[in-house]
Amino acid sequence: MNCMPHAPDIVDWMQALGDTTRLRALYALEKAELTVAELRAVLQLPQSTVSRHLKVLGDSGWVASRREGTRSLYRATSDDLPEAGSRMWALVREQIGSDRAAERDDQRLQRVLDERRTKSQAFFASVAGQWDKHRDELFGDRFDALALPALLDSTWTVGDLGCGTAQMAELLAPFVKQVIAIDSSAAMIKAARSRLKAVKNVDLRRGELERLPIDDRSLDAAIITLVLHHLPDPPEVLSDVARTLRPGGKLLIIDMLPHDRRE
C-alpha cells in the first residue's frame, strides 16, 4: 500500500500542532472567529507573536481567514480537514480541554465576546433613530426582498399575471424552473422583452387575464401584482387563474386596500 501522497499533510499537521501557543490559538479559534487583536487578548501575547503562529497554522491548513472591512477574521478549519486531520485534532483537543491554561483562555475569550457584543449594542443604540436611512444607503431599499424568492421551489413553473415590464418575472426567474409572464398591453410586452434579454426561462405571452393563454393545471404558483384593481371583473380573473393552477397551487395577490388618495 502506497501512503506517500498523504505523508506531507500528516507531517505538516504534526509540526503545526507541536507548539503550545498554536494549540491554545486553535482551541480558541474553534470556539469563535477572532481578529488578531482579539486573539492576542485571549492568549495574553504580543501581536507579532500571535500573527507568526497564525501564519504557521494557516500554511498547514488548520486556520482560514476572511476580510471584513479593514480587519481580518480567523477561524479554525478542523472540521473541514480530511478524516485523519480531524481525528488528530480531536485527540489533541481532549488533552487541551483539561488544562488550567485552557480554562483561563476560555474566561478571557468570554470577556472578548462580551465586549464585542457590548460594542455592537452601543452602535445600534446610537443609530436606532436613523437605522432605516443608513440601511437603505448602504444596501438599497430592496435587498431583503431580493432574497425572498430563494424560498420558492426550484422545480416550479410560476405565472406572473399582468406582468407589466416584467420586474417581478426577472426577480423570480433565477429561483424557479420557468416563469410564464402575461400582459394584455403590447407596449408592456415590448418593455418586458427588453428587460429580459439575458433571461432564458421566462416565457412572455400577450393575453387577457380573464382568458389566460395558459394550459389547465400548468402553474405551481401565480402572482398578480397591482393589477386586479384595474380590471372590471376581478372574480372572473380569479376563476381563470384557478383553472391554471395545479392541485395545491398557490396564488399571491399584491394590491391596494381602499384609500382616500383620489389623485
Side-chain angles (χ1 to χ4, degrees), residues 34-167:
L34 301 170
T35 65
V36 172
E38 289 172 333
L39 188 56
R40 184 200 66 76
V42 172
L43 302 179
Q44 296 289 282
L45 291 171
Q47 185 163 322
S48 58
T49 301
V50 173
S51 295
R52 184 174 73 252
H53 285 298
L54 281 174
K55 185 177 188 311
V56 175
L57 289 170
D59 289 345
S60 56
W62 288 108
V63 163
S65 66
R66 67 179 179 88
R67 295 290 295 178
E68 186 181 80
T70 59
R71 63 181 187 168
S72 293
L73 288 164
Y74 293 83
R75 65 175 179 86
T77 59
S78 48
D79 290 342
D80 302 327
L81 290 172
E83 185 180 352
S86 297
R87 290 203 309 267
M88 183 185 298
W89 172 241
L91 181 63
V92 174
R93 180 179 52 201
E94 183 180 349
Q95 298 299 314
I96 298 173
S98 60
D99 189 79
R100 287 285 297 169
E103 184 178 334
R104 291 191 291 270
D105 286 348
D106 280 343
Q107 292 170 353
R108 287 189 290 265
L109 174 61
Q110 189 58 55
R111 287 198 292 269
V112 165
L113 297 178
D114 288 344
E115 182 179 353
R116 184 193 290 179
R117 190 176 299 108
T118 299
K119 288 180 179 178
S120 176
Q121 290 171 347
F123 166 73
F124 284 109
S126 69
V127 301
Q130 296 292 319
W131 177 240
D132 288 348
K133 177 184 177 184
H134 288 317
R135 196 173 78 151
D136 288 352
E137 288 175 350
L138 289 170
F139 305 110
D141 62 354
R142 297 186 70 233
F143 76 97
D144 43 5
L146 294 175
L148 294 179
L151 297 173
L152 297 174
D153 192 311
S154 61
T155 66
W156 279 6
T157 296
V158 178
D160 181 9
L161 312 181
C163 66
T165 61
Q167 187 177 35

